[in-house]
mmCIF file of all heavy atoms in Angstrom:
data_model
loop_
_atom_site.group_PDB
_atom_site.id
_atom_site.type_symbol
_atom_site.label_atom_id
_atom_site.label_comp_id
_atom_site.label_asym_id
_atom_site.label_seq_id
_atom_site.Cartn_x
_atom_site.Cartn_y
_atom_site.Cartn_z
ATOM 1 N N ILE G 564 -10.268 -40.073 -107.781
ATOM 2 C CA ILE G 564 -10.058 -38.657 -107.589
ATOM 3 C C ILE G 564 -9.652 -37.926 -108.811
ATOM 4 O O ILE G 564 -9.897 -36.778 -109.174
ATOM 5 C CB ILE G 564 -9.056 -38.402 -106.425
ATOM 6 C CG1 ILE G 564 -9.178 -36.914 -105.990
ATOM 7 C CG2 ILE G 564 -7.729 -38.836 -106.776
ATOM 8 C CD1 ILE G 564 -10.423 -36.519 -105.585
ATOM 9 N N TRP G 565 -8.907 -38.675 -109.796
ATOM 10 C CA TRP G 565 -8.553 -38.151 -111.034
ATOM 11 C C TRP G 565 -9.708 -37.918 -111.934
ATOM 12 O O TRP G 565 -9.955 -36.920 -112.534
ATOM 13 C CB TRP G 565 -7.602 -39.160 -111.754
ATOM 14 C CG TRP G 565 -6.224 -39.071 -111.181
ATOM 15 C CD1 TRP G 565 -5.807 -39.818 -110.059
ATOM 16 C CD2 TRP G 565 -5.069 -38.539 -111.757
ATOM 17 N NE1 TRP G 565 -4.392 -39.592 -109.844
ATOM 18 C CE2 TRP G 565 -3.872 -38.860 -110.885
ATOM 19 C CE3 TRP G 565 -4.805 -37.851 -112.898
ATOM 20 C CZ2 TRP G 565 -2.653 -38.465 -111.182
ATOM 21 C CZ3 TRP G 565 -3.473 -37.427 -113.148
ATOM 22 C CH2 TRP G 565 -2.491 -37.682 -112.290
ATOM 23 N N LEU G 566 -10.715 -38.846 -111.938
ATOM 24 C CA LEU G 566 -11.903 -38.796 -112.726
ATOM 25 C C LEU G 566 -12.847 -37.699 -112.228
ATOM 26 O O LEU G 566 -13.365 -36.942 -112.900
ATOM 27 C CB LEU G 566 -12.736 -40.158 -112.726
ATOM 28 C CG LEU G 566 -13.920 -40.172 -113.515
ATOM 29 C CD1 LEU G 566 -13.527 -39.947 -115.074
ATOM 30 C CD2 LEU G 566 -14.615 -41.503 -113.421
ATOM 31 N N PHE G 567 -12.746 -37.503 -110.818
ATOM 32 C CA PHE G 567 -13.581 -36.459 -110.171
ATOM 33 C C PHE G 567 -13.090 -35.080 -110.609
ATOM 34 O O PHE G 567 -13.842 -34.143 -111.078
ATOM 35 C CB PHE G 567 -13.621 -36.564 -108.754
ATOM 36 C CG PHE G 567 -14.259 -35.498 -107.925
ATOM 37 C CD1 PHE G 567 -15.566 -35.479 -107.723
ATOM 38 C CD2 PHE G 567 -13.471 -34.340 -107.524
ATOM 39 C CE1 PHE G 567 -16.266 -34.478 -107.031
ATOM 40 C CE2 PHE G 567 -14.126 -33.378 -106.864
ATOM 41 C CZ PHE G 567 -15.551 -33.362 -106.483
ATOM 42 N N ALA G 568 -11.769 -34.883 -110.565
ATOM 43 C CA ALA G 568 -11.210 -33.557 -110.921
ATOM 44 C C ALA G 568 -11.451 -33.324 -112.450
ATOM 45 O O ALA G 568 -11.669 -32.239 -112.809
ATOM 46 C CB ALA G 568 -9.718 -33.627 -110.582
ATOM 47 N N ALA G 569 -11.191 -34.336 -113.292
ATOM 48 C CA ALA G 569 -11.332 -34.206 -114.672
ATOM 49 C C ALA G 569 -12.651 -33.807 -115.189
ATOM 50 O O ALA G 569 -12.916 -32.908 -115.880
ATOM 51 C CB ALA G 569 -10.777 -35.394 -115.457
ATOM 52 N N GLN G 570 -13.577 -34.619 -114.682
ATOM 53 C CA GLN G 570 -15.080 -34.352 -115.010
ATOM 54 C C GLN G 570 -15.521 -33.046 -114.326
ATOM 55 O O GLN G 570 -16.503 -32.397 -114.888
ATOM 56 C CB GLN G 570 -15.906 -35.568 -114.577
ATOM 57 C CG GLN G 570 -15.640 -36.765 -115.428
ATOM 58 C CD GLN G 570 -16.505 -37.980 -115.081
ATOM 59 O OE1 GLN G 570 -17.211 -37.911 -114.097
ATOM 60 N NE2 GLN G 570 -16.445 -38.917 -115.897
ATOM 61 N N LEU G 571 -15.092 -32.658 -113.244
ATOM 62 C CA LEU G 571 -15.435 -31.413 -112.564
ATOM 63 C C LEU G 571 -15.037 -30.265 -113.525
ATOM 64 O O LEU G 571 -15.769 -29.320 -113.744
ATOM 65 C CB LEU G 571 -14.811 -31.290 -111.180
ATOM 66 C CG LEU G 571 -15.088 -29.953 -110.502
ATOM 67 C CD1 LEU G 571 -15.169 -30.291 -108.963
ATOM 68 C CD2 LEU G 571 -13.920 -29.009 -110.647
ATOM 69 N N LEU G 572 -13.797 -30.334 -114.012
ATOM 70 C CA LEU G 572 -13.311 -29.265 -114.947
ATOM 71 C C LEU G 572 -14.022 -29.199 -116.289
ATOM 72 O O LEU G 572 -14.422 -28.139 -116.755
ATOM 73 C CB LEU G 572 -11.833 -29.492 -115.121
ATOM 74 C CG LEU G 572 -11.038 -28.441 -116.046
ATOM 75 C CD1 LEU G 572 -11.150 -27.107 -115.385
ATOM 76 C CD2 LEU G 572 -9.608 -28.852 -116.360
ATOM 77 N N MET G 573 -14.473 -30.521 -116.645
ATOM 78 C CA MET G 573 -15.176 -30.568 -117.973
ATOM 79 C C MET G 573 -16.601 -29.931 -117.805
ATOM 80 O O MET G 573 -17.045 -29.184 -118.626
ATOM 81 C CB MET G 573 -15.317 -32.020 -118.354
ATOM 82 C CG MET G 573 -16.143 -32.248 -119.666
ATOM 83 S SD MET G 573 -16.312 -33.948 -120.070
ATOM 84 C CE MET G 573 -17.533 -34.509 -118.878
ATOM 85 N N VAL G 574 -17.319 -30.226 -116.744
ATOM 86 C CA VAL G 574 -18.676 -29.764 -116.455
ATOM 87 C C VAL G 574 -18.618 -28.173 -116.162
ATOM 88 O O VAL G 574 -19.447 -27.494 -116.729
ATOM 89 C CB VAL G 574 -19.270 -30.432 -115.266
ATOM 90 C CG1 VAL G 574 -20.505 -29.689 -114.791
ATOM 91 C CG2 VAL G 574 -19.562 -31.871 -115.607
ATOM 92 N N LEU G 575 -17.613 -27.749 -115.449
ATOM 93 C CA LEU G 575 -17.488 -26.361 -115.310
ATOM 94 C C LEU G 575 -17.258 -25.627 -116.510
ATOM 95 O O LEU G 575 -17.915 -24.580 -116.670
ATOM 96 C CB LEU G 575 -16.199 -26.100 -114.287
ATOM 97 C CG LEU G 575 -15.992 -24.573 -113.895
ATOM 98 C CD1 LEU G 575 -17.152 -23.904 -113.343
ATOM 99 C CD2 LEU G 575 -14.685 -24.455 -113.118
ATOM 100 N N ALA G 576 -16.493 -26.065 -117.438
ATOM 101 C CA ALA G 576 -16.162 -25.437 -118.730
ATOM 102 C C ALA G 576 -17.417 -25.378 -119.640
ATOM 103 O O ALA G 576 -17.765 -24.450 -120.166
ATOM 104 C CB ALA G 576 -15.050 -26.126 -119.435
ATOM 105 N N LEU G 577 -18.177 -26.532 -119.544
ATOM 106 C CA LEU G 577 -19.441 -26.603 -120.318
ATOM 107 C C LEU G 577 -20.463 -25.640 -119.865
ATOM 108 O O LEU G 577 -21.078 -24.910 -120.650
ATOM 109 C CB LEU G 577 -19.958 -28.047 -120.311
ATOM 110 C CG LEU G 577 -19.413 -29.096 -121.056
ATOM 111 C CD1 LEU G 577 -19.927 -30.433 -120.766
ATOM 112 C CD2 LEU G 577 -19.425 -28.877 -122.592
#
Side-chain angles (χ1 to χ4, degrees):
I564 192 59
W565 287 77
L566 185 61
F567 176 86
Q570 292 185 346
L571 178 146
L572 183 60
M573 180 183 73
V574 167
L575 176 61
L577 285 176

